[in-house]
Amino acid sequence: EPGELSDPENLLLISKRSTSDNMPLDTFEARQVGWKKNALLISYFFPEHEELDPNELGVVTWTDGWEDNFERLSGKLIVPPVVRTLLYRQNPSKVKEWVD
């Protein structure tokens, strides 16, 4: 469920199937879709099923299957690849020291 600090307008913006689509109605379901997609975007720069439109510059479309990806990741503690690559690999012993 979307957290209290999630901005409803941003969640609705992200919940659209394509960035070229009209803004959806402000419903719980639309906000929840936006929250799930936001979780994928935070974890991965370009998650699977978020595709750039080759015919329209700057237009992004979410393809079928994105929700399956969210379900596979939800409820798990993961380290996003960018954090693992850019931060953890720089000094693994310091990261281990911090975790311990």
Side-chain angles (χ1 to χ4, degrees), residues 47-95:
E48 185 180 25
H49 300 291
E50 184 195 29
E51 307 292 332
L52 290 173
D53 188 325
N55 301 315
E56 293 187 59
L57 184 63
V59 174
V60 175
T61 301
W62 288 84
T63 59
D64 293 337
W66 72 264
E67 201 159 10
D68 295 332
N69 288 0
F70 175 83
E71 292 302 324
R72 275 186 292 239
L73 294 173
S74 66
K76 298 177 183 168
L77 181 61
I78 63 165
V79 177
V82 68
V83 172
R84 186 174 47 244
T85 301
L86 296 178
L87 299 176
Y88 291 1
R89 287 193 183 158
Q90 299 302 314
N91 196 336
S93 60
K94 281 286 190 194
V95 172

Side-chain angles (χ1 to χ4, degrees), residues 10-51:
N10 287 339
L11 292 178
L12 292 174
L13 182 66
I14 295 169
S15 73
K16 301 188 306 180
R17 179 163 178 95
S18 171
T19 54
S20 63
D21 292 343
N22 292 327
M23 192 70 108
L25 295 175
D26 187 0
T27 64
F28 174 79
E29 291 77 17
R31 288 184 186 192
Q32 192 168 41
V33 166
W35 183 83
K36 289 177 180 181
K37 288 180 178 178
N38 202 29
L40 290 172
L41 288 168
I42 289 168
S43 298
Y44 304 94
F45 282 135
F46 256 100
E48 185 180 25
H49 300 291
E50 184 195 29
E51 307 292 332

